[in-house]
Amino acid sequence: MTNKTREYRSKPKNTVYLPFIDWFNKQGKGLILEAQFSLDPLLSKIEHQEAAKGYKMLLDAFQEGDSQQKKTLISLLFPALFTKKQVALLSSPLIAKEYFATTTLNQMLENKWEIELDQPELENFNAYLVAEVILRSCYNEEPDFVKNLVVRLKHNTSSLTKYFNLFTDTEYIKASIDDTSTVPKPVFNTKQSFSNWVKSFKDYKISLNGFIITNFSDVTQQELLRQLEAFMVTDESNVDYSEGLNYVQNIARSYFEINDLDFGSVYVKHVLWRQLTDWPLLRKFNGDAYLDAFEMATASYAKAISTKQPVLIQSLKQKKINTELERHLRDMGYHGLLIAPVVNSEGEVLGLIEMASKSPFIKEKFTNLSAFLDIFSMGMNSFVQEIDQQVSLVIQQEFTAIHPSVQWKFRKTALDFYWAKTTGQQRKKIDPIQFQNVLPFFAQIDVIGSTRLRMDCTVNDLKNNLDLLLILLGS
């Protein structure tokens, strides 16, 4: 809101999405001749002889088992991968002809979560994995680079997005190449040098045997907070208000995992700002309704301001309605309502965040609300300071010296002018200052001879004091 940068994208581009397994298979094509799923490389990692025998029995049972038996054996062989809420995939190398996904990942695939392809980080991702295998198989070297890929997933029937950091383990892959002596060594000095290696490597066909483990670490909230912070330091003059509101609303929906969440905010520091804000939950400021909600002690809005704590209403339809504002929101079809104060470093309430849903709210959804509020308050505080500065600048540019007794009138006019300009309204000149039904009174009073009289009084007073002093000394 103050920084002259714009690091966010609010308008959707023509983004291509693909189911994760389809993307996984697509990336391997062109680099790999064949990928055979096998658990045999696991035996080479077992040092204890008796343990190796036990694993060999499990692997033999795996080869002969049906699909359900194989899933059970995989969960026994890799218990860490199949713990509750773990998101992971164990598959044939780079082409998922055969794969075993954790329960959580399977649910995501069934619920139509897809991966965004238009991400620069996805370029050559599987080529890096092939390079790891080449280094181990052909050059007996361990890769010294770290793959850190954050991918964006979108639910194709809602606006929710998720972000995952992908970690892959290629240790259990064996490569088969006809002539390993001619395979060029991967070069990672620059992006261009690696790209050149990929092009040259495509002349070779490699067969892979074994399996690859892909772990997904959920970084959705961290990534969304980063995006919110980037927006909150964006110069407001460059942002369309409805565009900005939709952007923050979509972040909030994914952050709290509520796909019909409606977001709003209203300033409370100055009465004028309440009326000028473009982001209230009602979408159009209703002065009577909001002022009533701010001032009535039993109102949820007033409680949030006085206690400086969020107020959660799980269902408006099951709550006794105290204010016209809550009645408006209920009539709009809202069930859940959350009012959260935005407080600056001095403990002053700058404004309120409003969130509402057509479904009842679940308290656990807002466990990490404080982190969201901290970043939003940073932007709101910067915006408040910016308005103060801009209004003062307008006054300096448009008016001469102003007496403190009427400064409020000039600030109101300057604020109206600045806000109209900021929101794109065409106003070339500032409104003239007018005091309706006010009669100015200018007067100067001067009593004739008052100066001479005042001087004579001073002299007489001094003479009386000296006379009294002489009497005192003479006695």
Side-chain angles (χ1 to χ4, degrees):
M1 290 184 173
T2 56
N3 195 349
K4 301 295 182 180
T5 61
R6 190 171 186 176
E7 301 178 13
Y8 75 99
R9 184 182 77 234
S10 57
K11 292 183 178 179
K13 62 179 183 178
N14 296 323
T15 304
V16 179
Y17 289 89
L18 197 67
F20 174 75
I21 295 299
D22 293 347
W23 166 77
F24 197 85
N25 291 332
K26 181 180 178 181
Q27 295 298 299
K29 291 180 179 178
L31 291 173
I32 304 166
L33 178 64
E34 184 180 359
Q36 185 66 40
F37 183 85
S38 172
L39 293 175
D40 289 345
L42 184 63
L43 289 175
S44 63
K45 304 293 182 181
I46 309 299
E47 295 182 357
H48 194 278
Q49 188 174 2
E50 292 301 319
K53 289 181 180 179
Y55 270 93
K56 181 66 168 64
M57 294 175 60
L58 287 174
L59 297 185
D60 291 341
F62 179 85
Q63 294 295 336
E64 299 174 1
D66 57 29
S67 60
Q68 186 57 47
Q69 290 171 334
K70 285 184 176 182
K71 288 180 181 178
T72 302
L73 287 169
I74 286 291
S75 64
L76 291 173
L77 288 167
F78 303 93
L81 289 182
F82 292 88
T83 54
K84 190 175 182 180
K85 294 188 178 180
Q86 182 74 23
V87 184
L89 179 75
L90 189 145
S91 69
S92 51
L94 306 184
I95 299 179
K97 293 192 302 182
E98 187 172 0
Y99 67 90
F100 300 89
T102 61
T103 301
T104 304
L105 180 57
N106 266 325
Q107 290 173 348
M108 290 179 59
L109 297 175
E110 293 169 2
N111 289 332
K112 302 178 181 178
W113 286 92
E114 300 177 332
I115 191 169
E116 179 185 342
L117 296 184
D118 301 335
Q119 300 178 78
E121 298 84 356
L122 292 180
E123 186 180 357
N124 290 332
F125 174 65
N126 269 13
Y128 275 98
L129 303 184
V130 172
E132 285 187 356
V133 177
I134 295 298
L135 281 174
R136 289 195 184 99
S137 301
C138 302
Y139 294 92
N140 198 28
E141 293 182 14
E142 285 297 318
D144 58 358
F145 59 88
V146 178
K147 301 182 303 301
N148 185 21
L149 176 65
V150 176
V151 296
R152 180 176 185 261
L153 276 71
K154 180 182 75 71
H155 195 275
N156 66 6
T157 58
S158 73
S159 61
L160 299 186
T161 58
K162 286 182 177 292
Y163 293 85
F164 287 92
N165 204 339
L166 264 60
F167 298 94
T168 54
D169 188 350
T170 60
E171 281 191 70
Y172 304 97
I173 300 176
K174 291 183 178 180
S176 175
I177 307 174
D178 292 338
D179 185 2
T180 59
S181 62
T182 61
V183 175
K185 186 176 182 179
V187 181
F188 305 101
N189 296 335
T190 64
K191 185 177 180 180
Q192 184 59 46
S193 63
F194 182 73
S195 180
N196 292 337
W197 176 83
V198 172
K199 290 178 182 177
S200 65
F201 180 76
K202 286 183 178 180
D203 295 333
Y204 299 83
K205 294 300 180 181
I206 178 173
S207 297
L208 302 180
N209 181 276
F211 62 92
I212 186 171
I213 298 173
T214 304
N215 278 291
F216 297 76
S217 176
D218 193 337
V219 293
T220 300
Q221 292 198 335
Q222 298 94 307
E223 179 64 21
L224 291 173
L225 289 177
R226 187 194 66 78
Q227 293 176 17
L228 180 63
E229 183 175 4
F231 173 79
M232 297 307 289
V233 298
T234 300
D235 180 9
E236 274 288 335
S237 63
N238 292 332
V239 181
D240 178 81
Y241 272 68
S242 60
E243 177 186 325
L245 174 58
N246 289 334
Y247 183 77
V248 174
Q249 180 169 275
N250 286 333
I251 288 178
R253 286 177 174 179
S254 294
Y255 185 84
F256 297 106
E257 296 184 322
I258 303 174
N259 63 356
D260 69 338
L261 183 79
D262 283 343
F263 180 90
S265 70
V266 59
Y267 292 97
V268 300
K269 185 179 179 182
H270 296 306
V271 175
L272 284 175
W273 296 2
R274 301 172 189 172
Q275 299 173 1
L276 294 172
T277 182
D278 273 3
W279 281 22
L281 194 57
L282 292 178
R283 296 298 183 254
K284 186 176 181 181
F285 188 84
N286 183 321
D288 292 336
Y290 271 101
L291 294 179
D292 182 41
F294 290 155
E295 294 170 2
M296 184 180 291
T298 57
S300 303
Y301 284 74
K303 285 182 180 179
I305 295 173
S306 61
T307 63
K308 300 179 183 178
Q309 295 293 324
V311 175
L312 176 67
I313 301 173
Q314 292 183 299
S315 178
L316 283 169
K317 296 188 177 182
Q318 297 177 5
K319 176 186 179 295
K320 181 180 178 181
I321 301 299
N322 295 318
T323 65
E324 182 184 355
L325 179 54
E326 291 177 356
R327 189 174 297 106
H328 275 311
L329 295 174
R330 185 190 61 186
D331 293 344
M332 291 169 67
Y334 289 124
H335 264 279
L337 177 65
L338 175 75
I339 311 300
V342 178
V343 184
N344 63 14
S345 57
E346 289 78 31
E348 182 181 22
V349 177
L350 299 177
L352 297 172
I353 284 179
E354 307 165 291
M355 298 186 205
S357 169
K358 299 294 177 71
S359 302
F361 272 159
I362 301 173
K363 186 178 180 180
E364 288 71 24
K365 290 282 188 180
F366 300 96
T367 303
N368 296 319
L369 175 64
S370 59
F372 190 93
L373 292 178
D374 289 344
I375 293 180
F376 198 87
S377 65
M378 175 186 67
M380 185 174 278
N381 191 46
S382 298
F383 187 48
V384 168
Q385 293 176 359
E386 181 181 336
I387 289 180
D388 279 334
Q389 295 170 0
Q390 292 297 328
V391 169
S392 298
L393 183 62
V394 170
I395 291 175
Q396 292 175 13
Q397 293 174 341
E398 300 292 336
F399 306 112
T400 57
I402 302 170
H403 194 277
S405 63
V406 293
Q407 191 176 35
W408 62 271
K409 182 66 174 179
F410 287 81
R411 284 193 64 84
K412 180 181 183 304
T413 303
L415 180 59
D416 288 342
F417 178 75
Y418 167 73
W419 204 276
K421 181 181 177 182
T422 303
T423 54
Q425 302 176 34
Q426 299 298 323
R427 289 175 60 176
K428 295 181 180 180
K429 293 183 178 180
I430 194 167
D431 293 338
I433 302 297
Q434 295 180 343
F435 293 89
Q436 300 294 334
N437 301 318
V438 174
L439 299 176
F441 178 72
F442 300 96
Q444 181 176 0
I445 301 174
D446 186 19
V447 178
I448 298 176
S450 60
T451 303
R452 168 71 65 180
L453 182 61
R454 185 168 59 254
M455 291 177 64
D456 289 343
C457 288
T458 302
V459 171
N460 290 334
D461 187 51
L462 287 172
K463 287 175 67 176
N464 289 335
N465 288 335
L466 289 172
D467 290 341
L468 292 172
L469 182 60
L470 289 173
I471 294 171
L472 180 62
L473 293 174
S475 62

